[in-house]
Amino acid sequence: MSNNSIGYSDGDVDTNESSNRSLNAIIDERYSRRQTIFGGLQASAFAVFGSALLSACDDDDAQQGSAITVNAGADAATTSGNAVTLQGSVTGGTGGNSWSQVSGEAVDLVMIDQNTVTFVAPAVAEATALTFRFSAENGLQSDETVITVSPAALNFDAVPKNLDDVVTVPAGYSVSVLTALGDPIIAGTPAYANDGTDTDFASRIGDHGDALHFFGLNAAGQRDYSASARGILVQNHENITETYLHPNGPTNLSGGPRPAAEAIKEIECHGLSFVEVSDDGSGAWSYVQNSAFNRRVTPNTGTTFKGPVAGTDYLKTKFSPSGTSGRGTINNCANGYAAWGTIMTCEENWAGYFKRPSSGAESDEANRSVRERTALARYGVRSTTGNYSWSTATPTQDIFTRWDARAGTGAATQDYRNEPNQFGWVVEIDPYSPGSTPRKRTALGRFGHEGAWMGKLTPGKKVAVYMGDDSRREYLYKFVSASNWDAADENASDRLAVGDKYLDNGTLYVARFDANGSGTWLPLVFGQVPNRPATGGFPEYVFESQADILVNPRLAADAVGATPMDRPEWTAVNPVTGEVYLTLTNNNAANRPLNDTDAANPRHYNDPKDGKDQYGNPNGHIIRLREAGDDGAATGFTWDIYLFGADSADADADINISGLTADNDFSSPDGLWFSRDQNAAGQVNPLLWIQTDDGAMTDRSNCMMLAALPGQVGDGGNVTITNMDATGATAQQTTIAGADATAATLKRFLVGPKQCEITGVDTTPDGRTLFVGIQHPGENGTYDAPGSNWPQSQSGTTSGRPRSGVVVITRDADGIVGL
């Protein structure tokens, strides 16, 4: 057996010469994953890790026979997630060569030929030796090698901040565009012209791609949670950049009348896309235009309401007098994944799409009750025209007039006064059943849903779903199912029926964060929620039923004294610890003044940009919590602030609390996702991806994505911050900060193109392919002066209208992305 190892540093194999081993050379050429597998290897006996190749010779430990020499190669060291290729050599033999694992944590050995195998280094908590045997002559002769695997590390060089018009990734990685706005996904739909003349977006990829998820398919086209070469990519389409959708920009955008053809196009660009994608076997991904799984869900798609609000007066409209059905979903931002194989898409900033002036000649205030006016104001349903003025489109059609939410003098079933109540929900959809009807889960409450992420599932315990309400001074919510989790439901054939079981009955809670690092989940249950006190010129709000609370949880959260947060967005759950992370994207001075900070939202400061002051909390932070007893049904938790966003170039210690540097500073965290627990990146110490939607630091860099190896709640301590407002007044605030960020725990992995937001992230189950969403590049430009030329610019073309899209990122030398 080989007894000596080759030292390992920073993602590459280093030599460690000894009397027992000699080494020809480290070959600097990088070998791609496919080159490694299909004949890119030349040396007689070696191991490959990441992007370096190790060749062994003159091995005194190799077994020597009179005519046969067997060599398993040099011992070596690596870290979790790296691809390792072992190649043995035999001189004088006649065949029958093979590899086997002798000891250590079991790995899957993939045979390339009788001398060569490859595997991915497993997740480990400490340095762990794996021993492999190379045998010849059908086992009569053999030699062994030891590969020592250390815990996961961020083995890439941080990407510098930049203002380039491409997606920039670390050296040793490749990026390609998979899908983009307008790509045809239904057979017969023509290619996208990208000049504003395209139509039929119900058959094309929508705009402003947001959260996404990969659902695996096996060779037979059936659900396979572990499949990594073929699947259905589901993506939200949050909004539109309307100037690029029409030949010369939109017509009468702010007041109407809008041409019907323009309005239909804009409406259909919202919703979700379901697209089959596959790896051709060489690492090149593409989508299948004529797949039976391809589907668009738009604001015009039929939906069904489930849970306590279904069938109540709150949902009755001209289209649905029964209050049990509706049409479509809109402003879909973050999402959630159900273990039984469905997507939970979330309706975020839906309120602005409706026309409902709150004053003036067109106001319906006289036809509304005081309670209705209070609820509508709390949710911001008060637009003069509605986003994009769809209700004015001519010729008049019901798909347009539904966006006019003004109440008439007759019954609610004669108009669309309740249409706003049909939005703001979590919507569950089965991607494997294209003909199924999306279900809106009313038990999870109605607000500006940013995401709905399930807690760690434990058989026999309740299912918890964590949800942020994306607006400044809104709340963090949790839903706890009435039913206990049964692992058998993970493989049920009727997936939406499983959703009925866990998502239609339970308790909705809202979070209160206390100054001592503890927290309480406050139940939003009729009879336990007090009436909302009179505020802002409105009278006391008296709750009438549980349905009332679920339609108006913001009012209920106000009443129970929940903690208003700095724009709560994505939630993510550590698959190992079960800890819950929440991005708090930012806040301004009006909503977070100097005298209104608290321990969970502790900062008020200035981050100047282009000579203009930005007071409040313009860079945001990420908070995390751990449930009491690690039980998702617990009503108590502990918390700390994992990371504080900051511009490291000009922030002092009261702002840059996490000790960020030029390699890992960021602003306005938004997207948040832990790697899948099916591969080493999601095990032991899971890899966390952080995406930004920034407006505060964009003078220094486009939006970005970072990779992190976070610790746990309580790994830091109390910090007292001195805040300052625009007048120079100061105030102190104590909070609980997590451990400082270091180069080993946080690095910038990606920077996007101009004027984009980075949002949406998932990997294949094996972790070798990363999907990332690039939203609204060039959003500040116009059809005749685009603010970006991406995705064309990714391949060097500096012309053409920008398009939101999805990129595929892989390691050139194989292995798990980010490690």
Side-chain angles (χ1 to χ4, degrees):
M1 177 183 293
S2 303
N3 295 317
N4 297 306
S5 65
I6 304 299
Y8 182 76
S9 173
D10 196 26
D12 293 318
V13 176
D14 297 327
T15 63
N16 181 9
E17 298 179 1
S18 72
S19 59
N20 292 330
R21 296 286 189 187
S22 64
L23 186 70
N24 285 339
I26 294 290
I27 300 177
D28 292 329
E29 178 183 357
R30 296 183 181 276
Y31 281 76
S32 75
R33 169 184 175 188
R34 303 302 172 179
Q35 287 172 328
T36 300
I37 293 176
F38 294 107
L41 305 178
Q42 302 296 326
S44 61
F46 52 78
V48 176
F49 311 95
S51 60
L53 178 149
L54 177 65
S55 174
C57 66
D58 301 331
D59 184 356
D60 292 340
D61 288 340
Q63 294 193 16
Q64 306 286 332
S66 58
I68 300 174
T69 300
V70 179
N71 188 347
D75 294 354
T78 189
T79 55
S80 297
N82 276 321
V84 179
T85 298
L86 304 174
Q87 186 178 60
S89 67
V90 179
T91 58
T94 60
N97 305 340
S98 64
W99 280 94
S100 61
Q101 186 172 0
V102 177
S103 65
E105 185 166 346
V107 299
D108 292 327
L109 292 174
V110 178
M111 187 177 75
I112 309 306
D113 56 42
Q114 67 173 357
N115 291 347
T116 311
V117 293
T118 184
F119 67 91
V120 173
V124 295
E126 58 186 8
T128 303
L130 312 182
T131 303
F132 300 90
R133 179 177 295 142
F134 179 60
S135 301
E137 300 299 300
N138 296 313
L140 295 178
Q141 299 274 5
S142 65
D143 185 33
E144 294 181 353
T145 188
V146 176
I147 307 300
T148 300
V149 180
S150 292
L154 303 177
N155 289 315
F156 60 88
D157 291 333
V159 173
K161 296 189 289 287
N162 68 75
L163 297 169
D164 299 336
D165 199 25
V166 296
V167 175
T168 310
V169 295
Y173 283 85
S174 293
V175 58
S176 61
V177 179
L178 177 60
T179 59
L181 162 69
D183 282 345
I185 63 172
I186 303 299
T189 305
Y192 193 55
N194 196 26
D195 60 4
T197 63
D198 300 281
T199 60
D200 190 16
F201 277 83
S203 299
R204 300 180 182 277
I205 298 286
D207 204 356
H208 280 217
D210 208 290
L212 50 84
H213 193 85
F214 177 86
F215 290 86
L217 291 168
N218 63 19
Q222 299 171 328
R223 180 192 176 198
D224 184 347
Y225 186 56
S226 63
S228 293
R230 179 189 181 195
I232 305 165
L233 192 66
V234 181
Q235 186 179 32
N236 288 342
H237 297 293
E238 180 182 8
N239 207 335
I240 60 172
T241 307
E242 66 279 359
T243 185
Y244 300 130
L245 291 177
H246 311 295
N248 300 303
T251 304
N252 299 332
L253 183 66
S254 60
R258 298 294 313 284
E262 290 187 6
I264 289 172
K265 182 186 298 190
E266 294 166 5
I267 291 169
E268 290 179 346
C269 276
H270 289 72
L272 294 89
S273 61
F274 298 71
V275 184
E276 181 179 339
V277 296
S278 62
D279 178 349
D280 68 359
S282 68
W285 284 81
S286 61
Y287 77 92
V288 182
Q289 180 176 348
N290 61 350
S291 170
F293 293 105
N294 291 359
R295 177 187 189 188
R296 280 299 315 282
V297 172
T298 76
N300 294 330
T301 303
T303 59
T304 298
F305 284 91
K306 303 287 289 185
V309 186
T312 66
D313 289 345
Y314 293 98
L315 297 177
K316 292 178 180 179
T317 68
K318 181 179 179 181
F319 176 82
S320 178
S322 67
T324 58
S325 61
R327 282 173 292 182
T329 183
I330 201 163
N331 211 264
N332 303 84
C333 199
N335 61 12
Y337 164 76
W340 47 91
T342 60
I343 195 77
M344 296 190 296
T345 184
C346 298
E347 299 174 332
E348 189 196 24
N349 292 317
W350 47 270
Y353 287 85
F354 296 97
K355 177 179 180 178
R356 191 198 156 262
S358 58
S359 62
E362 290 193 309
S363 172
D364 68 343
E365 292 285 285
N367 298 332
R368 295 282 193 176
S369 69
V370 174
R371 295 182 73 260
E372 285 181 294
R373 294 200 298 267
T374 299
L376 288 164
R378 184 64 181 84
Y379 280 83
V381 184
R382 56 177 180 267
S383 175
T384 302
T385 62
N387 295 350
Y388 313 114
S389 300
W390 291 338
S391 66
T392 71
T394 57
T396 301
Q397 300 177 48
D398 188 64
I399 61 171
F400 303 138
T401 57
R402 65 182 289 210
W403 301 104
D404 186 340
R406 291 176 296 171
T409 57
T413 54
Q414 296 176 359
D415 55 36
Y416 288 106
R417 70 186 69 178
N418 286 333
E419 193 74 1
N421 292 343
Q422 292 222 342
F423 294 91
W425 306 103
V426 174
V427 188
E428 187 180 17
I429 308 175
D430 184 351
Y432 296 103
S433 181
S436 61
T437 301
R439 299 185 182 180
K440 297 201 173 187
R441 303 295 185 185
T442 65
L444 277 65
R446 170 181 164 270
F447 43 89
H449 279 282
E450 179 68 29
W453 203 259
M454 287 190 173
K456 187 177 180 180
L457 296 175
T458 303
K461 291 191 174 183
K462 309 293 185 184
V463 175
V465 183
Y466 300 90
M467 303 167 288
D469 184 354
D470 183 11
S471 194
R472 293 179 175 121
R473 295 192 66 80
E474 292 301 342
Y475 305 109
L476 171 65
Y477 296 85
K478 175 177 75 168
F479 171 81
V480 177
S481 66
S483 298
N484 293 331
W485 172 241
D486 181 351
D489 287 333
E490 191 166 351
N491 298 310
S493 58
D494 191 341
R495 288 170 283 274
L496 291 175
V498 178
D500 294 345
K501 175 180 177 180
Y502 294 108
L503 301 179
D504 285 346
N505 294 284
T507 304
L508 184 66
Y509 295 86
V510 67
R512 187 186 72 215
F513 292 83
D514 295 328
N516 63 358
S518 66
T520 301
W521 291 107
L522 306 169
L524 301 182
V525 176
F526 183 64
Q528 299 181 39
V529 176
N531 296 330
R532 184 181 188 267
T535 57
F538 288 98
E540 176 185 45
Y541 188 89
V542 180
F543 293 99
E544 296 182 338
S545 64
Q546 184 61 28
D548 186 1
I549 287 175
L550 294 174
V551 170
N552 297 296
R554 284 182 175 177
L555 290 168
D558 295 342
V560 298
T563 303
M565 307 297 285
D566 284 351
R567 196 178 162 200
E569 298 214 34
W570 289 47
T571 52
V573 175
N574 186 314
V576 173
T577 67
E579 292 183 346
V580 181
Y581 287 62
L582 170 70
T583 50
L584 299 167
T585 299
N586 54 48
N587 212 331
N588 55 33
N591 285 286
R592 185 65 66 190
L594 181 68
N595 61 358
D596 194 32
T597 63
D598 56 56
N601 306 272
R603 292 188 298 174
H604 182 103
Y605 58 98
N606 187 26
D607 180 17
K609 174 188 169 184
D610 296 330
K612 296 181 179 179
D613 289 339
Q614 301 178 109
Y615 278 93
N617 179 18
N619 301 131
H621 56 285
I622 303 173
I623 202 166
R624 61 185 171 185
L625 63 89
R626 189 157 192 164
E627 299 278 24
D630 293 330
D631 185 352
T635 57
F637 58 87
T638 56
W639 66 270
D640 68 8
I641 295 179
Y642 161 54
L643 283 175
F644 292 84
D647 182 348
S648 66
D650 57 13
D652 61 26
D654 285 310
I655 301 171
N656 190 7
I657 300 165
S658 296
L660 304 181
T661 69
D663 287 339
N664 59 21
D665 57 352
F666 65 94
S667 176
S668 297
D670 186 344
L672 197 66
W673 182 75
F674 275 100
S675 294
R676 292 174 177 240
D677 62 5
Q678 296 157 283
N679 62 73
Q683 301 164 7
V684 181
N685 185 20
L687 180 66
L688 176 65
W689 296 97
I690 302 167
Q691 301 177 313
T692 69
D693 179 14
D694 183 30
M697 204 170 71
T698 49
D699 55 336
R700 299 191 189 277
S701 180
N702 299 333
C703 286
M704 62 188 67
M705 183 168 75
L706 302 96
L709 294 171
Q712 296 184 8
V713 172
D715 60 13
N718 287 355
V719 175
T720 298
I721 303 167
T722 299
N723 290 314
M724 178 182 292
D725 70 9
T727 70
T730 62
Q732 290 191 322
Q733 176 66 60
T734 299
T735 187
I736 304 99
D740 282 355
T742 68
T745 62
L746 182 68
K747 284 185 183 179
R748 188 177 304 105
F749 179 84
L750 174 153
V751 176
K754 294 179 179 179
Q755 300 173 18
C756 80
E757 171 187 349
I758 305 298
T759 183
V761 56
D762 195 7
T763 67
T764 49
D766 63 10
R768 286 174 154 113
T769 301
L770 177 71
F771 304 101
V772 178
I774 309 299
Q775 187 183 110
H776 61 64
E779 67 170 340
N780 297 326
T782 62
Y783 70 92
D784 55 352
S788 165
N789 300 124
W790 194 89
Q792 302 85 239
S793 57
Q794 196 68 36
S795 57
T797 300
T798 57
S799 63
R801 300 183 181 197
R803 303 158 66 190
S804 295
V806 175
V807 296
V808 169
I809 300 170
T810 55
R811 288 180 66 172
D812 296 342
D814 199 14
I816 293 174
V817 177
L819 299 183

